[in-house]
Amino acid sequence: FPMDLRPQAHDIIRTWLFSTILRSHLDENALPWRNAAISGWVLDPDRKKMSKSKGNVVTPMHLLEEYGADAVRYWAANGRPGTDTAFDAQQMKVGRRLAVKLLNASKFALADLPPQGQTLTHPLDRALIARLAAVVGDATDSFEDYDYARALERAESFFWWYCDYYLELVKGRRYAPEEAVAASVSRALTLSMSVFQRLFAPFLPFVCEEVWSWWQEGSVER
């Protein structure tokens, strides 16, 4: 059966991509894949292509030790298909900050959560889930178009809004002694954190697997 996707860089379109299609056509009379994802090059700070022959390659081990694997993966995921991506440790710092924020937001949202209601009774909670559903729809469309960078961009932008505004606005109801008052926000927090952990899992797999294990069975990747 043909593969669904062939990932490769743009410097071998004329050679490997073309020759593989031709060989598959001549030998099997079939296409070898349905889609080709063309990546760009990684550039050094002087905007030159990183390569072993030029001696300007950066090995990743010290970056993984300093920023963590999720942060390095976050930087890589911001490299859009077909676009060259500059090496940028600052971007890894942003990724690490996002991972830590997801960890802390999950702790706040899920720890000692009061019983949740069956419905969202508060208009703020309903508005949140409606906006989040729109983000999921947009991210899904982006993933299906192989535009993973836009999926990350949409999820990240909304997550920071969620932390800065929604989590602050619901603190009073989150800790309200009346069960009926807290039930709606409890359900909204459970729903939203489940979605955020799944949205970020392709980009921040380690922190998402960790926070998922606090309250869900199995792996977030499934």
Side-chain angles (χ1 to χ4, degrees):
F1 295 101
M3 296 187 300
D4 185 63
L5 177 69
R6 157 88 170 236
Q8 65 164 70
H10 50 67
D11 55 337
I12 57 172
I13 293 174
R14 181 180 57 83
T15 51
W16 283 109
L17 187 148
F18 173 75
S19 61
T20 308
I21 291 175
L22 180 61
R23 179 68 180 268
S24 178
H25 171 69
L26 294 176
D27 288 352
E28 303 291 338
N29 194 31
L31 286 172
W33 57 78
R34 297 182 181 89
N35 300 279
I38 309 300
S39 64
W41 291 325
V42 176
L43 307 179
D44 67 13
D46 295 326
R47 309 297 295 184
K48 295 178 181 177
K49 176 190 174 184
M50 280 191 177
S51 67
K52 289 183 289 185
S53 61
K54 292 181 179 180
N56 60 348
V57 173
V58 176
T59 56
M61 189 53 64
H62 73 284
L63 299 169
L64 297 172
E65 292 171 349
E66 183 174 358
Y67 302 111
D70 281 339
V72 176
R73 187 179 177 96
Y74 170 88
W75 162 77
N78 274 279
R80 296 182 183 278
T83 303
D84 293 340
T85 303
F87 171 77
D88 185 4
Q90 192 64 37
Q91 192 85 5
M92 298 176 193
K93 292 180 181 178
V94 174
R96 180 174 176 80
R97 179 170 172 256
L98 177 62
V100 171
K101 190 67 173 179
L102 180 61
L103 193 72
N104 291 334
S106 298
K107 285 181 181 178
F108 165 77
L110 300 172
D112 301 319
L113 198 62
Q116 60 177 293
Q118 296 300 311
T119 59
L120 300 171
T121 58
H122 197 282
L124 178 61
D125 301 332
R126 292 199 299 271
L128 164 73
I129 297 303
R131 288 189 62 181
L132 183 56
V135 172
V136 170
D138 196 357
T140 300
D141 291 341
S142 297
F143 272 125
E144 290 177 350
D145 289 338
Y146 299 110
D147 192 355
Y148 48 82
R150 174 163 173 76
L152 172 58
E153 179 185 272
R154 292 288 287 118
E156 181 181 8
S157 176
F158 187 72
F159 178 69
W160 284 113
W161 176 91
Y162 172 86
C163 294
D164 291 341
Y165 295 99
Y166 180 76
L167 291 186
E168 294 299 320
L169 287 170
V170 301
K171 280 183 177 178
R173 287 191 294 126
R174 167 74 168 76
Y175 298 110
E178 301 87 357
E179 184 175 310
V181 175
S184 179
V185 69
S186 181
R187 180 163 179 76
L189 288 171
T190 302
L191 289 171
S192 58
M193 290 314 306
S194 173
V195 171
F196 279 126
Q197 288 162 17
R198 285 178 283 144
L199 274 175
F200 284 123
F203 311 108
L204 308 171
F206 292 97
V207 70
C208 289
E209 193 71 31
E210 171 64 21
V211 296
W212 188 263
S213 71
W214 295 347
W215 66 301
Q216 301 275 42
E217 295 293 329
S219 170
V220 67
E221 300 296 343
R222 293 187 177 274

